[in-house]
Amino acid sequence: MLIASASALLVSFVLSAETLQLARHPGAALACDVNSVISCSTVANSWQSEFIRVGALSFPNAFFGIAAESVFVAVAVMGLVRITFPRWFAVAAWAGNLLAVLYAVWLFTQSVFVIQALCPWCLGLLASSLLQFMAASHATFAVQEIPRKNKAVHMYYHLNIDLLVDLLIFALFTGIIFVKYGAALLG
């Protein structure tokens, strides 16, 4: 979880820097603009990249990523030093990870099906968020045994069924990208 959270934090910093770059130089191309399909600036200039608004102010998603991933890095470090969290905290941290991965998946669907462009940094953030959620789920359900004495959950994690499901999830997202944009990515 620490590696995934730290990676997601780094990507959030990069995306924030790119957001500031576009704010300073509207219409500029970003370093990760390769073609019409792989285009960070296309994604960054969409309403989905900063849809949270308070009055006339809008906030880039990457800024929220910095805040959230900083918390997830701290939780991962505490887990590595074997701090046992109260059950309510473990459930709240898992729920936060669930919200983060759902947000990343929503952004992925918007990028692929609505914006019709891919941002490599955003894909990295999706991968990191998925890994982070998978690690948090394992820690919550297998290590801390929440919920307690649930044989189905215990078997799911201790027989490593979760690893197979995790691989299938990554294969699904990769398959979606290649089915939708394979020719443009390979040619």
Side-chain angles (χ1 to χ4, degrees), residues 12 44 59 81 83 114 129 132 138 153 162:
S12 294
F59 300 93
V81 296
I83 291 176
V114 177
S129 296
Q132 174 182 301
H138 190 84
V153 171
D162 63 314

Side-chain angles (χ1 to χ4, degrees), residues 35-79:
N35 57 31
S36 63
V37 172
I38 301 172
S39 176
C40 293
S41 61
T42 300
V43 175
N45 285 317
S46 70
W47 68 265
Q48 293 91 333
S49 70
E50 52 183 67
F51 73 93
I52 297 174
R53 296 185 183 282
V54 177
L57 296 174
S58 64
F59 300 93
N61 299 338
F63 291 3
F64 292 103
I66 291 171
E69 295 305 334
S70 297
V71 171
F72 295 140
V73 166
V75 169
V77 168
M78 288 187 280

Side-chain angles (χ1 to χ4, degrees), residues 9 17 20 30 32 59 67 74-75 80 99 101 105 107 110-111 162 183:
L9 179 60
L20 294 173
L30 298 173
C32 54
F59 300 93
V75 169
L80 283 175
L99 289 175
V101 79
V105 169
L107 290 170
Q110 293 298 296
S111 179
D162 63 314

Side-chain angles (χ1 to χ4, degrees), residues 5 18 21 36 44 46 49 56 64-67 89 91 95 100-102 108 111 121 124 145 147 149 182:
S5 300
E18 289 186 345
Q21 177 72 8
S36 63
S46 70
S49 70
F64 292 103
I66 291 171
F89 185 86
V91 170
V101 79
L102 290 174
F108 171 79
S111 179
W121 291 112
E145 296 182 345
K149 298 182 182 178

